[in-house]
Amino acid sequence: EDSIGMNALQVFFLSCMFYSGAGQFMIPNMWLAGSPLASIIASVSLVNTRQMLYSASFAPMCANERKRLSFLFSATVTDESFGVNMANFATGTWNVPRATIVNICSCTSWTLSNVAGVLIGGALGIPLAIASFAMTSIFICLLVTQKITFENVVAAVVAIVVAMLAFLLIRDTPQSTGLPPIEKYRNDYPKNYSEKSEQELTTKEIFFKYVLNNKILWYIAFANAFVYLVRYGVLDWAPTYLKDIKGYDIKDVGWAYSAYEWAAIPGTIICGWLSDKVFKGRRAITTMIYMALVAVFIVIYWKNILLDNISLIAIGFLIYGPVMLIGVQALDLAPKKAAGTAAGLTGFFGYFFGTAILANIAMGSIVQHLGWDWGFIMLLAACALAFLFISFTYREEQYLVKQRK
């Protein structure tokens, strides 16, 4: 309480509303930094979006349950109770009321432990330096409890080596090591360069001034979700579609699947070259052309019997260009100091909404209940929506390109 400024009652209500391992470290730190309440809630909610996937995976088990019970069950799923309940549901002897009790016990333990931590921690006066080691100690415990196998040892050694290399070699900016900005060092200033771009920004400025209030970035983020829907909607479902509908054997499916990924290498390089050299930094028009061509080859893949492999190669060749360019476009539209957050926003929309929600859950459900034709209609709609949202950025991008000349 002395360090953070929260008493036991505040911690109790906070723990009842938020079940978040990472959030328990984010909330007090952002609280101390004076961050707005809305910013704290949004940040904690963002890092806990996996809970939506946990609840969605239990949807079949709740199909015949009362809505109120289903709501209570899905609202109280935790990381720990998810594993316990999923394993018990697999036995066929488990039910939602029992699973809800497990969830509530997990949440209650979390709440009481946090309150006890405030009371006992205040009495013992535990230094923040020791308390901040808690998250690290969790991962150490997870490592120690693993079975000592060759595979686990190799994985642990590789992770340690990569972490050490990152610690030794990666730096934030030249200024953080006492060097001048790269533009000054090389005496190579872009025409729209301003010393203001070198100023450090607060978290509030990054989120609310340059990212969350930037409607162009939101257009790009939505477009990225639909691009990822196409990318993984084709890739992840190709083995099932080719085997069950087109009659491929497993060996041929493997070749087609790998060809899709290999085609991405030249496709991405050529896409980048086109956007730089032919379209002079205009990412939007390049992405729009590529998505239109992707839609053409999705139709061929869907309707043509003899060109399955060629269509998959063409889609792989074309789809990864927009995946790359959308990230580049997000960086072009954000200040240097907010570039990472801008890329993170678009990446989150791509992987969470585009891949996990739409390409995996939604498309699987549509194919299961409505058939493959509707699955392909969904992919074509995603191409159209990606094209549409990127087109909204064209005018702003034109202005920025002219500014750079």
Side-chain angles (χ1 to χ4, degrees):
E1 180 179 350
D2 293 336
S3 301
I4 303 301
M6 292 185 181
N7 57 41
L9 184 61
Q10 289 173 313
V11 170
F12 172 79
F13 285 115
L14 188 64
S15 300
C16 289
M17 291 185 290
F18 289 104
Y19 188 102
S20 172
Q24 72 175 345
F25 296 96
M26 292 177 62
I27 291 172
N29 283 303
M30 294 182 73
W31 177 286
L32 286 174
S35 300
L37 181 61
S39 178
I40 297 175
I41 294 174
S43 301
V44 175
S45 299
L46 191 64
V47 300
N48 282 279
T49 47
R50 68 186 185 283
Q51 304 291 347
M52 294 174 61
L53 298 179
Y54 289 163
S55 299
S57 66
F58 285 124
M61 293 77 166
C62 297
N64 298 319
E65 295 292 342
R66 289 170 295 149
K67 289 186 177 180
R68 290 183 180 180
L69 178 60
S70 297
F71 175 81
L72 178 62
F73 170 63
S74 61
T76 54
V77 174
T78 70
D79 297 281
E80 296 75 16
S81 67
F82 172 79
V84 173
N85 286 327
M86 187 60 78
N88 284 322
F89 274 122
T91 65
T93 61
W94 204 240
N95 56 41
V96 173
R98 290 180 178 180
T100 305
I101 293 173
V102 173
N103 290 352
I104 292 174
C105 288
S106 181
C107 292
T108 302
S109 174
W110 156 266
T111 302
L112 295 179
S113 297
N114 284 337
V115 173
V118 173
L119 298 174
I120 297 174
L124 297 179
I126 300 174
L128 279 178
I130 296 177
S132 63
F133 186 70
M135 182 63 78
T136 304
S137 66
I138 292 173
F139 289 102
I140 292 175
C141 291
L142 291 173
L143 176 63
V144 171
T145 55
Q146 293 293 312
K147 293 182 179 180
I148 302 178
T149 64
F150 175 77
E151 291 81 2
N152 284 341
V153 170
V154 170
V157 171
V158 170
I160 292 171
V161 170
V162 172
M164 291 300 297
L165 288 174
F167 177 77
L168 294 172
L169 300 178
I170 296 177
R171 296 293 181 267
D172 181 20
T173 61
Q175 298 92 306
S176 66
T177 60
L179 297 173
I182 192 65
E183 293 87 354
K184 183 177 181 180
Y185 176 75
R186 291 187 172 181
N187 194 28
D188 183 15
Y189 296 91
K191 291 185 178 181
N192 62 340
Y193 178 79
S194 171
E195 290 188 359
K196 291 182 178 180
S197 64
E198 304 299 339
Q199 295 178 357
E200 295 296 331
L201 303 175
T202 65
T203 302
K204 181 178 179 180
E205 287 177 321
I206 292 173
F207 273 100
F208 291 98
K209 185 176 180 180
Y210 294 106
V211 177
L212 297 182
N213 284 334
N214 189 335
K215 66 178 182 180
I216 303 299
L217 278 178
W218 283 104
Y219 291 148
I220 295 174
F222 282 116
N224 202 36
F226 293 115
V227 168
Y228 270 72
L229 165 55
V230 176
R231 174 188 178 183
Y232 285 104
V234 174
L235 180 65
D236 290 353
W237 293 102
T240 304
Y241 178 70
L242 291 175
K243 184 174 180 294
D244 295 349
I245 304 301
K246 295 297 184 81
Y248 281 57
D249 62 37
I250 193 66
K251 183 178 180 180
D252 291 335
V253 168
W255 281 110
Y257 189 87
S258 62
Y260 179 95
E261 295 281 29
W262 280 106
I265 299 173
T268 304
I269 294 172
I270 293 173
C271 183
W273 180 83
L274 287 172
S275 71
D276 285 339
K277 300 298 183 181
V278 177
F279 296 108
K280 309 300 181 183
R282 293 173 176 83
R283 320 298 181 189
I285 187 65
T286 314
T287 301
M288 291 160 66
I289 292 172
Y290 263 58
M291 291 309 299
L293 292 173
V294 167
V296 170
F297 281 99
I298 285 177
V299 173
I300 297 173
Y301 178 53
W302 174 19
K303 295 295 185 180
N304 195 287
I305 299 175
L306 301 176
L307 300 177
D308 299 320
N309 287 333
I310 294 175
S311 299
L312 271 179
I313 291 171
I315 295 170
F317 180 92
L318 293 165
I319 193 61
Y320 283 90
V323 169
M324 175 270 298
L325 278 187
I326 282 179
V328 174
Q329 192 177 7
L331 300 181
D332 289 343
L333 294 171
K336 288 171 61 175
K337 302 298 182 179
T341 307
L345 176 69
T346 58
F348 168 73
F349 268 70
Y351 280 105
F352 181 74
F353 292 110
T355 304
I357 301 297
L358 295 175
N360 294 340
I361 297 174
M363 186 166 175
S365 179
I366 286 173
V367 170
Q368 181 180 3
H369 295 97
L370 301 177
W372 282 104
D373 284 350
W374 281 100
F376 278 101
I377 291 172
M378 181 180 181
L379 293 176
L380 292 174
C383 290
L385 288 169
F387 185 100
L388 177 65
F389 280 109
I390 286 296
S391 71
F392 293 157
T393 71
Y394 181 74
R395 182 177 297 179
E396 178 71 14
E397 189 179 58
Q398 286 282 84
Y399 172 76
L400 291 175
V401 169
K402 290 178 181 177
Q403 289 288 102
R404 290 196 291 262
K405 290 183 178 180

